[in-house]
């Protein structure tokens, strides 16, 4: 048990990175944190960016225009 805890603690940052990447692939509208100031979002099959957010407590599914057309 001690060895498992030690390995888990040693690779805790990598576990969070893998968790974020899996979440981004399964739910493209969920962010992948790059650093304290940046996040990235995966595109859908059609190349669109969708982001889930809230305005005044109301959840909204946004289509984000990157301006790259």
């Amino acid at each position: 048990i001690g060895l498992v805890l030690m390995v888990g603690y040693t690779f805790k940052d990598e576990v969070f990175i893998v968790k974020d990447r899996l979440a981004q692939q399964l739910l493209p509208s969920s962010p992948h944190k790059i650093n304290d100031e940046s996040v990235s979002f995966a595109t859908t099959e059609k190349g669109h960016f969708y982001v889930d957010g809230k305005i005044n407590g109301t959840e909204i599914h946004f289509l984000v225009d990157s301006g790259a057309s």
Side-chain angles (χ1 to χ4, degrees):
I1 293 176
L3 179 61
V4 170
L5 291 174
M6 185 177 74
V7 170
Y9 181 77
T10 302
F11 293 103
K12 70 181 182 303
D13 294 331
E14 288 81 1
V15 169
F16 287 117
I17 290 170
V18 170
K19 178 193 71 76
D20 288 345
R21 289 216 136 168
L22 283 173
Q24 189 178 34
Q25 292 301 315
L26 295 173
L27 302 167
S29 61
S30 61
H32 171 69
K33 183 178 178 181
I34 296 173
N35 56 42
D36 288 339
E37 298 176 355
S38 301
V39 295
S40 70
F41 294 89
T43 59
T44 62
E45 314 76 55
K46 295 182 179 181
H48 300 296
F49 292 96
Y50 289 99
V51 177
D52 292 329
K54 285 186 180 182
I55 296 180
N56 295 330
T58 302
E59 293 185 9
I60 299 176
H61 192 64
F62 293 94
L63 169 63
V64 178
D65 183 1
S66 67
S69 56

